[in-house]
């Protein structure tokens, strides 16, 4: 018996026409009971700089998570606890990591993560999708992501495709040398080969990747819709990154993948105008990936080369920020991939997705 036809609804996937995959109106405060979490989370930069974050965490009470009732409250709690976690792990840099995350952070972070279907680490869904506000609360929809975390992923502000100069907001040397390590995880990371023990959750260490543009649900949807076929190694990494997405977003990607192929539809119709529309879509995605490569070059590749040069000269303190740059992340993205080779491979496969027609179907 055939199922009744139902109109497609983005809301069923927690996606909106106005905000896309971004969490609409993210919550900014939690109930008073959770004030210890928020006080520390909002002070992480200062506490890291003074090397006192770990001691503050040790004094933090173990709080129950069951008072968090709404989805937005859970997302804010996950953002706060995972931010504390990143600061705690990386406070002393790549050579001063810890093996155990204290249970007063680990247990509630695990509980909140289980309820949301997210891993217990800072993800793209936290730092980007649930971490923004309007510049003008009364004005049109325009995003300002706190701490400009979009720089990590190379996404244009607001996902609009507008090519701005991120150097206007963050110095590449500061991003590479100081900020970037706090966005990396403990999987495929030479600084934490064994992973991290979540005290009170599991005795064995666990491994999770850091935030990455590969966790962007939007890009995965574009790939599935347009029929971009990735190479085995790149495809395996992208598939693993889907485990870092909100479950509803991941389901949308699966449903698009299971639907009839748009690329095959365009091929079968043999229509010039339809081909042109498809080609424009692929070209826009290709432009975004070229932009991403450009950003990575300016914010990672170039600073990494300068940092290596300074170390070889024995003067790493000449540029303070680069002198602190972790060596383990020179060739890797914060998600654990071989960053530039991965991005170029994905870009090239996107370019190969373009369709061409024999002369009779080409328009002047």
């Amino acid at each position: 018996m055939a199922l009744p036809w139902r109109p497609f609804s983005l809301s069923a996937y927690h996606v909106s026409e106005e905000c896309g995959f971004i969490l609409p109106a993210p919550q900014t405060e939690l109930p008073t009971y959770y004030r210890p979490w928020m006080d520390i989370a909002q002070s992480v930069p200062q506490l890291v700089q003074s090397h006192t974050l770990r001691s503050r965490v040790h004094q933090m009470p173990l709080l129950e998570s069951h008072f968090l009732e709404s989805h937005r409250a859970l997302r804010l709690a996950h953002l706060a606890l995972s931010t504390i976690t990143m600061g705690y792990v990386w406070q002393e840099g790549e050579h001063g990591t810890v093996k155990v995350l204290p249970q007063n952070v680990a247990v509630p972070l695990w509980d909140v993560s289980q309820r949301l279907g997210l891993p217990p680490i800072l993800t793209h869904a936290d730092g980007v999708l649930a971490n923004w506000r309007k510049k003008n609360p009364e004005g049109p929809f325009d995003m300002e992501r706190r701490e400009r975390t979009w720089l990590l992923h190379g996404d244009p502000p607001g996902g609009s495709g507008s090519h701005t100069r991120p150097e206007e907001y963050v110095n590449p040397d500061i991003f590479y040398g100081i900020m970037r390590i706090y966005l990396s995880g403990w999987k495929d990371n030479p600084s934490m080969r064994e992973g991290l023990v979540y005290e009170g959750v599991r005795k064995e260490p666990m491994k999770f990747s850091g935030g990455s543009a590969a966790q962007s649900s939007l890009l995965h949807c574009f790939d599935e819709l347009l029929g971009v076929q990735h190479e085995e190694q790149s495809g395996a990494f992208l598939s693993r990154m889907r485990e870092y997405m909100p479950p509803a977003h991941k389901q949308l990607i699966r449903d698009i993948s299971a639907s009839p192929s748009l690329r095959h539809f365009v091929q079968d119709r043999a229509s010039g105008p339809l081909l042109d529309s498809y080609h424009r879509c692929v070209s826009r995605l290709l432009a975004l990936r070229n932009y991403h490569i450009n950003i990575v070059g300016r914010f990672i590749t170039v600073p990494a080369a300068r940092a290596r040069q300074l170390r070889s000269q024995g003067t790493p303190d000449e540029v303070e920020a680069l002198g602190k740059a972790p060596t383990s992340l020179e060739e890797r993205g914060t998600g654990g991939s071989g960053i530039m080779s991965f991005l170029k491979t994905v870009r090239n496969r996107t370019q190969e997705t373009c369709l061409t027609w024999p002369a009779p179907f080409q328009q002047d």
Side-chain angles (χ1 to χ4, degrees):
M1 180 178 177
L3 295 175
W5 179 84
R6 291 183 299 177
F8 178 78
S9 172
L10 285 174
S11 61
Y13 300 99
H14 296 176
V15 180
S16 75
E17 293 187 6
E18 180 186 23
C19 299
F21 291 92
I22 297 165
L23 179 68
Q27 196 164 312
T28 58
E29 294 293 339
L30 291 176
T32 305
Y33 174 75
Y34 298 106
R35 193 68 250 172
W37 294 354
M38 297 302 293
D39 285 344
I40 294 179
Q42 291 170 342
S43 303
V44 163
Q46 296 85 355
L47 293 173
V48 165
Q49 189 172 20
S50 63
H51 300 273
T52 58
L53 175 59
R54 289 177 182 172
S55 61
R56 279 289 300 276
V57 168
H58 295 159
Q59 300 167 16
M60 192 176 77
L62 174 58
L63 303 178
E64 300 287 344
S65 64
H66 62 260
F67 297 115
L68 299 165
E69 298 179 352
S70 71
H71 179 77
R72 283 182 174 81
L74 286 168
R75 293 288 291 273
L76 177 57
H78 197 274
L79 172 61
L81 290 168
S82 58
T83 297
I84 293 171
T85 297
M86 307 311 273
Y88 185 91
V89 169
W90 299 113
Q91 176 182 288
E92 302 302 327
E94 65 178 334
H95 300 299
T97 57
V98 296
K99 295 184 177 181
V100 179
L101 182 68
Q103 65 175 352
N104 53 357
V105 178
V107 170
L109 175 57
W110 180 264
D111 291 344
V112 169
S113 298
Q114 291 294 297
R115 293 172 66 183
L116 287 171
L118 290 173
I121 191 171
L122 187 73
T123 68
H124 178 92
D126 301 304
V128 176
L129 301 185
N131 189 32
W132 67 274
R133 58 183 167 85
K134 281 187 176 181
K135 292 180 179 179
N136 178 3
E138 306 301 325
F141 184 71
D142 187 16
M143 288 175 52
E144 178 180 336
R145 300 169 187 172
R146 297 177 200 146
E147 303 298 332
R148 296 287 173 180
T149 53
W150 62 270
L151 282 169
L152 164 68
H153 312 294
D155 298 338
S160 64
S162 58
H163 293 190
T164 63
R165 290 191 58 81
E167 291 90 339
E168 297 174 10
Y169 304 104
V170 177
N171 183 297
D173 290 350
I174 293 175
F175 172 78
Y176 179 79
I178 297 177
M179 296 172 61
R180 189 167 176 249
I181 191 172
Y182 295 99
L183 301 163
S184 59
W186 26 97
K187 181 178 176 64
D188 300 325
N189 190 331
S191 295
M192 296 185 67
R193 296 185 185 277
E194 297 180 358
L196 180 68
V197 173
Y198 288 71
E199 186 181 34
V201 175
R202 191 177 298 172
K203 293 182 180 180
E204 299 77 19
M206 292 184 279
K207 299 180 180 181
F208 297 101
S209 299
S212 169
Q215 297 169 8
S216 167
S217 305
L218 182 65
L219 293 177
H220 284 248
C221 283
F222 285 160
D223 281 346
E224 294 293 351
L225 180 64
L226 297 173
V228 179
Q229 298 293 319
H230 295 291
E231 294 181 359
E232 183 176 357
Q233 185 174 358
S234 300
F237 176 75
L238 288 168
S239 294
R240 178 159 62 85
M241 290 295 99
R242 293 185 184 182
E243 299 306 312
Y244 293 77
M245 301 175 185
H249 295 177
K250 185 166 55 177
Q251 185 61 50
L252 174 58
I253 297 167
R254 285 197 293 257
D255 288 349
I256 293 174
S257 178
S259 299
S261 168
L262 173 64
R263 192 169 189 271
H264 291 165
F265 176 81
V266 173
Q267 286 178 313
D268 292 343
R269 288 301 175 101
S271 162
L274 191 59
L275 170 65
D276 289 343
S277 296
Y278 176 85
H279 180 74
R280 282 197 299 271
C281 291
V282 175
S283 297
R284 293 289 180 89
L285 181 58
L286 180 62
L288 180 60
R289 286 189 159 137
N290 279 324
Y291 174 74
H292 193 176
I293 291 172
N294 184 273
I295 290 289
V296 168
R298 281 146 51 194
F299 277 79
I300 297 176
T301 307
V302 172
R306 292 183 58 206
R308 285 194 296 269
Q309 182 180 21
L310 289 171
R311 283 196 297 271
S312 67
Q313 295 172 349
T315 56
D317 294 332
E318 182 177 329
V319 180
E320 183 179 1
L322 289 181
K324 298 177 180 178
T327 57
S328 61
L329 291 178
E330 283 185 352
E331 303 297 332
R332 292 183 178 272
T334 47
S337 65
I339 188 165
M340 194 56 80
S341 61
F342 167 76
L343 292 177
K344 288 184 177 179
T345 298
V346 169
R347 186 269 314 274
N348 292 344
R349 294 312 294 262
T350 304
Q351 189 170 17
E352 293 169 6
T353 304
C354 289
L355 293 170
T356 57
W357 294 105
F361 298 108
Q362 293 179 346
Q363 292 185 323
D364 293 336

